[in-house]
Amino acid sequence: MTSHTPLFPRTAIVLTIAAASAVLPTLHAETLAPDVMIRQLSTEVIDAVKGDKAIQAGDIGRINALVDAKVMPVVDFQRMTASAVGRYWRTATPDQKKRLQDEFKTLLVRTYAGALSQVRDQTVALKPLRAAPTDTEVVVRTEIRGRGDPIQLDYRLEKDGDSWRIYDVNVLGVWLVEQYKNSFAQEINASGIDGLITKLAEKNKAVPAKG
C-alpha cells in the first residue's frame, strides 16, 4: 500500500474523532439541527481536551475509552469505513468488515492522538447552513480559529432517525474518505482485502502509544 499520512492539520482532525463527554446527553434529550450539533460538539470537545491532562499527554487508553463511549454514537463509522474501502466492501465477509473497521478506527485514533496536546485557545465559527428542512444529508461548514490562519473543517452528516451522524470530514479541501480510498484500493488490488487489513495492522503497531 502506498502509505500517505493525510494532509490534515492534526488539531483540526481531532475535533472529528474526539468528542466531549457532556455533549451526548444533550443530543439524546432533543433533536438538534446539524449545524447546532456540530457547534456544540466542537465547542465542548475543545473544553474537554483542555481539562484532561491524560488526553493532552497522548494517553491512548484514555483516548480510546473516550472514542468508544462517546464518539461512536455520533459518527457513522461503518459508512465511513465502507466508503473508504469502496466497491470492495460489498465482497468483504462480515469478519473482514469488522476487522477493517477496527483497524481503520485504530489508525485514525493513534495517528492523531498527538494532536490533542496542541489544543489551546481554538474556537469554532460556523458558516451559514445551505440545506432544506427536508434534507437527510447535509454539509456543515466551519472554521477553526486560533493561532495562525483559520482552518477549514467541513462535515458531511446524515440523518439517522431523529439525530444526525457524521460520516466524512473535509480539512482544507480534502475529504478524509477520499484521502484513504486511493491507497486502500491500491493495496486491495495488490493483496486483497486481507492484505489491506494486514497493512493497517502493521501500521498501527508501528505508531508508538503513549501512556
Side-chain angles (χ1 to χ4, degrees), residues 4-24:
H4 298 290
T5 300
L7 306 176
F8 303 147
R10 285 180 153 198
T11 302
I13 205 72
V14 162
L15 302 181
T16 305
I17 64 173
S21 301
V23 70
L24 289 177

PDB file of all heavy atoms in Angstrom, residues 4-24:
ATOM      1  N   HIS A   4       0.341   7.217   2.813  1.00  0.00           N
ATOM      2  CA  HIS A   4       0.461   8.666   2.926  1.00  0.00           C
ATOM      3  C   HIS A   4      -0.286   9.111   4.161  1.00  0.00           C
ATOM      4  O   HIS A   4      -1.443   8.762   4.342  1.00  0.00           O
ATOM      5  CB  HIS A   4      -0.135   9.365   1.704  1.00  0.00           C
ATOM      6  CG  HIS A   4       0.563   9.022   0.426  1.00  0.00           C
ATOM      7  ND1 HIS A   4       1.831   9.443   0.131  1.00  0.00           N
ATOM      8  CD2 HIS A   4       0.173   8.281  -0.643  1.00  0.00           C
ATOM      9  CE1 HIS A   4       2.188   8.990  -1.066  1.00  0.00           C
ATOM     10  NE2 HIS A   4       1.200   8.275  -1.548  1.00  0.00           N
ATOM     11  N   THR A   5       0.371   9.868   5.016  1.00  0.00           N
ATOM     12  CA  THR A   5      -0.343  10.470   6.126  1.00  0.00           C
ATOM     13  C   THR A   5      -1.255  11.543   5.570  1.00  0.00           C
ATOM     14  O   THR A   5      -0.822  12.368   4.778  1.00  0.00           O
ATOM     15  CB  THR A   5       0.648  11.103   7.117  1.00  0.00           C
ATOM     16  OG1 THR A   5       1.509  10.074   7.605  1.00  0.00           O
ATOM     17  CG2 THR A   5      -0.097  11.738   8.265  1.00  0.00           C
ATOM     18  N   PRO A   6      -2.541  11.545   5.933  1.00  0.00           N
ATOM     19  CA  PRO A   6      -3.460  12.546   5.395  1.00  0.00           C
ATOM     20  C   PRO A   6      -2.935  13.957   5.617  1.00  0.00           C
ATOM     21  O   PRO A   6      -2.331  14.254   6.637  1.00  0.00           O
ATOM     22  CB  PRO A   6      -4.743  12.288   6.191  1.00  0.00           C
ATOM     23  CG  PRO A   6      -4.647  10.833   6.559  1.00  0.00           C
ATOM     24  CD  PRO A   6      -3.193  10.591   6.815  1.00  0.00           C
ATOM     25  N   LEU A   7      -3.186  14.821   4.638  1.00  0.00           N
ATOM     26  CA  LEU A   7      -2.653  16.180   4.672  1.00  0.00           C
ATOM     27  C   LEU A   7      -3.531  17.095   5.507  1.00  0.00           C
ATOM     28  O   LEU A   7      -3.846  18.198   5.103  1.00  0.00           O
ATOM     29  CB  LEU A   7      -2.555  16.705   3.232  1.00  0.00           C
ATOM     30  CG  LEU A   7      -1.769  15.830   2.261  1.00  0.00           C
ATOM     31  CD1 LEU A   7      -1.837  16.418   0.853  1.00  0.00           C
ATOM     32  CD2 LEU A   7      -0.326  15.699   2.702  1.00  0.00           C
ATOM     33  N   PHE A   8      -3.930  16.637   6.689  1.00  0.00           N
ATOM     34  CA  PHE A   8      -4.861  17.390   7.516  1.00  0.00           C
ATOM     35  C   PHE A   8      -4.122  17.958   8.722  1.00  0.00           C
ATOM     36  O   PHE A   8      -3.348  17.255   9.362  1.00  0.00           O
ATOM     37  CB  PHE A   8      -5.990  16.506   8.037  1.00  0.00           C
ATOM     38  CG  PHE A   8      -6.766  15.816   6.960  1.00  0.00           C
ATOM     39  CD1 PHE A   8      -7.295  14.565   7.191  1.00  0.00           C
ATOM     40  CD2 PHE A   8      -6.958  16.418   5.730  1.00  0.00           C
ATOM     41  CE1 PHE A   8      -8.019  13.929   6.199  1.00  0.00           C
ATOM     42  CE2 PHE A   8      -7.684  15.783   4.738  1.00  0.00           C
ATOM     43  CZ  PHE A   8      -8.214  14.532   4.979  1.00  0.00           C
ATOM     44  N   PRO A   9      -4.349  19.219   9.065  1.00  0.00           N
ATOM     45  CA  PRO A   9      -3.799  19.729  10.312  1.00  0.00           C
ATOM     46  C   PRO A   9      -4.297  18.873  11.468  1.00  0.00           C
ATOM     47  O   PRO A   9      -5.477  18.603  11.595  1.00  0.00           O
ATOM     48  CB  PRO A   9      -4.382  21.148  10.389  1.00  0.00           C
ATOM     49  CG  PRO A   9      -4.662  21.504   8.973  1.00  0.00           C
ATOM     50  CD  PRO A   9      -5.096  20.230   8.315  1.00  0.00           C
ATOM     51  N   ARG A  10      -3.383  18.414  12.287  1.00  0.00           N
ATOM     52  CA  ARG A  10      -3.749  17.444  13.317  1.00  0.00           C
ATOM     53  C   ARG A  10      -4.782  17.990  14.292  1.00  0.00           C
ATOM     54  O   ARG A  10      -5.698  17.285  14.703  1.00  0.00           O
ATOM     55  CB  ARG A  10      -2.494  17.015  14.086  1.00  0.00           C
ATOM     56  CG  ARG A  10      -1.624  16.061  13.299  1.00  0.00           C
ATOM     57  CD  ARG A  10      -0.413  15.682  14.104  1.00  0.00           C
ATOM     58  NE  ARG A  10       0.066  14.371  13.715  1.00  0.00           N
ATOM     59  CZ  ARG A  10       0.889  13.635  14.462  1.00  0.00           C
ATOM     60  NH1 ARG A  10       1.284  14.093  15.625  1.00  0.00           N
ATOM     61  NH2 ARG A  10       1.299  12.458  14.051  1.00  0.00           N
ATOM     62  N   THR A  11      -4.636  19.234  14.688  1.00  0.00           N
ATOM     63  CA  THR A  11      -5.591  19.784  15.637  1.00  0.00           C
ATOM     64  C   THR A  11      -6.998  19.771  15.070  1.00  0.00           C
ATOM     65  O   THR A  11      -7.962  19.504  15.786  1.00  0.00           O
ATOM     66  CB  THR A  11      -5.201  21.220  16.014  1.00  0.00           C
ATOM     67  OG1 THR A  11      -3.880  21.207  16.558  1.00  0.00           O
ATOM     68  CG2 THR A  11      -6.148  21.805  17.037  1.00  0.00           C
ATOM     69  N   ALA A  12      -7.135  20.009  13.780  1.00  0.00           N
ATOM     70  CA  ALA A  12      -8.458  20.031  13.162  1.00  0.00           C
ATOM     71  C   ALA A  12      -9.106  18.672  13.192  1.00  0.00           C
ATOM     72  O   ALA A  12     -10.275  18.524  13.541  1.00  0.00           O
ATOM     73  CB  ALA A  12      -8.341  20.529  11.723  1.00  0.00           C
ATOM     74  N   ILE A  13      -8.369  17.632  12.828  1.00  0.00           N
ATOM     75  CA  ILE A  13      -8.979  16.313  12.736  1.00  0.00           C
ATOM     76  C   ILE A  13      -9.391  15.795  14.096  1.00  0.00           C
ATOM     77  O   ILE A  13     -10.313  14.995  14.222  1.00  0.00           O
ATOM     78  CB  ILE A  13      -8.023  15.332  12.036  1.00  0.00           C
ATOM     79  CG1 ILE A  13      -8.824  14.188  11.387  1.00  0.00           C
ATOM     80  CG2 ILE A  13      -6.996  14.767  12.968  1.00  0.00           C
ATOM     81  CD1 ILE A  13      -9.597  14.598  10.193  1.00  0.00           C
ATOM     82  N   VAL A  14      -8.696  16.235  15.139  1.00  0.00           N
ATOM     83  CA  VAL A  14      -9.061  15.820  16.483  1.00  0.00           C
ATOM     84  C   VAL A  14     -10.512  16.156  16.798  1.00  0.00           C
ATOM     85  O   VAL A  14     -11.210  15.420  17.479  1.00  0.00           O
ATOM     86  CB  VAL A  14      -8.130  16.485  17.519  1.00  0.00           C
ATOM     87  CG1 VAL A  14      -8.724  16.444  18.915  1.00  0.00           C
ATOM     88  CG2 VAL A  14      -6.799  15.770  17.514  1.00  0.00           C
ATOM     89  N   LEU A  15     -10.979  17.279  16.284  1.00  0.00           N
ATOM     90  CA  LEU A  15     -12.348  17.695  16.573  1.00  0.00           C
ATOM     91  C   LEU A  15     -13.362  16.777  15.909  1.00  0.00           C
ATOM     92  O   LEU A  15     -14.544  16.817  16.233  1.00  0.00           O
ATOM     93  CB  LEU A  15     -12.563  19.136  16.107  1.00  0.00           C
ATOM     94  CG  LEU A  15     -11.607  20.140  16.734  1.00  0.00           C
ATOM     95  CD1 LEU A  15     -11.905  21.549  16.228  1.00  0.00           C
ATOM     96  CD2 LEU A  15     -11.684  20.094  18.245  1.00  0.00           C
ATOM     97  N   THR A  16     -12.887  15.938  15.009  1.00  0.00           N
ATOM     98  CA  THR A  16     -13.769  14.971  14.374  1.00  0.00           C
ATOM     99  C   THR A  16     -13.760  13.645  15.109  1.00  0.00           C
ATOM    100  O   THR A  16     -14.795  13.013  15.284  1.00  0.00           O
ATOM    101  CB  THR A  16     -13.323  14.732  12.918  1.00  0.00           C
ATOM    102  OG1 THR A  16     -13.269  15.990  12.258  1.00  0.00           O
ATOM    103  CG2 THR A  16     -14.281  13.810  12.201  1.00  0.00           C
ATOM    104  N   ILE A  17     -12.592  13.166  15.537  1.00  0.00           N
ATOM    105  CA  ILE A  17     -12.515  11.835  16.111  1.00  0.00           C
ATOM    106  C   ILE A  17     -12.547  11.827  17.628  1.00  0.00           C
ATOM    107  O   ILE A  17     -12.602  10.770  18.223  1.00  0.00           O
ATOM    108  CB  ILE A  17     -11.250  11.101  15.628  1.00  0.00           C
ATOM    109  CG1 ILE A  17      -9.982  11.802  16.122  1.00  0.00           C
ATOM    110  CG2 ILE A  17     -11.244  10.969  14.144  1.00  0.00           C
ATOM    111  CD1 ILE A  17      -8.716  11.048  15.829  1.00  0.00           C
ATOM    112  N   ALA A  18     -12.534  12.985  18.260  1.00  0.00           N
ATOM    113  CA  ALA A  18     -12.645  13.054  19.708  1.00  0.00           C
ATOM    114  C   ALA A  18     -13.811  13.947  20.071  1.00  0.00           C
ATOM    115  O   ALA A  18     -13.989  14.988  19.500  1.00  0.00           O
ATOM    116  CB  ALA A  18     -11.355  13.612  20.301  1.00  0.00           C
ATOM    117  N   ALA A  19     -14.634  13.508  21.013  1.00  0.00           N
ATOM    118  CA  ALA A  19     -15.827  14.281  21.354  1.00  0.00           C
ATOM    119  C   ALA A  19     -15.918  14.482  22.860  1.00  0.00           C
ATOM    120  O   ALA A  19     -15.430  13.678  23.635  1.00  0.00           O
ATOM    121  CB  ALA A  19     -17.079  13.565  20.869  1.00  0.00           C
ATOM    122  N   ALA A  20     -16.561  15.554  23.252  1.00  0.00           N
ATOM    123  CA  ALA A  20     -16.685  15.860  24.664  1.00  0.00           C
ATOM    124  C   ALA A  20     -17.712  14.960  25.334  1.00  0.00           C
ATOM    125  O   ALA A  20     -18.732  14.605  24.766  1.00  0.00           O
ATOM    126  CB  ALA A  20     -17.111  17.315  24.835  1.00  0.00           C
ATOM    127  N   SER A  21     -17.447  14.588  26.569  1.00  0.00           N
ATOM    128  CA  SER A  21     -18.344  13.700  27.294  1.00  0.00           C
ATOM    129  C   SER A  21     -19.710  14.313  27.526  1.00  0.00           C
ATOM    130  O   SER A  21     -20.708  13.609  27.610  1.00  0.00           O
ATOM    131  CB  SER A  21     -17.721  13.347  28.652  1.00  0.00           C
ATOM    132  OG  SER A  21     -16.473  12.713  28.481  1.00  0.00           O
ATOM    133  N   ALA A  22     -19.781  15.617  27.624  1.00  0.00           N
ATOM    134  CA  ALA A  22     -21.038  16.255  28.001  1.00  0.00           C
ATOM    135  C   ALA A  22     -22.014  16.429  26.853  1.00  0.00           C
ATOM    136  O   ALA A  22     -23.178  16.717  27.072  1.00  0.00           O
ATOM    137  CB  ALA A  22     -20.750  17.637  28.603  1.00  0.00           C
ATOM    138  N   VAL A  23     -21.548  16.228  25.617  1.00  0.00           N
ATOM    139  CA  VAL A  23     -22.416  16.590  24.511  1.00  0.00           C
ATOM    140  C   VAL A  23     -23.539  15.592  24.277  1.00  0.00           C
ATOM    141  O   VAL A  23     -24.650  15.963  23.958  1.00  0.00           O
ATOM    142  CB  VAL A  23     -21.595  16.778  23.220  1.00  0.00           C
ATOM    143  CG1 VAL A  23     -21.061  15.463  22.699  1.00  0.00           C
ATOM    144  CG2 VAL A  23     -22.448  17.441  22.142  1.00  0.00           C
ATOM    145  N   LEU A  24     -23.280  14.286  24.468  1.00  0.00           N
ATOM    146  CA  LEU A  24     -24.255  13.292  24.066  1.00  0.00           C
ATOM    147  C   LEU A  24     -25.550  13.303  24.867  1.00  0.00           C
ATOM    148  O   LEU A  24     -26.625  13.113  24.295  1.00  0.00           O
ATOM    149  CB  LEU A  24     -23.620  11.897  24.087  1.00  0.00           C
ATOM    150  CG  LEU A  24     -22.607  11.689  22.954  1.00  0.00           C
ATOM    151  CD1 LEU A  24     -21.953  10.333  23.069  1.00  0.00           C
ATOM    152  CD2 LEU A  24     -23.266  11.834  21.605  1.00  0.00           C
TER     153      LEU A  24
END
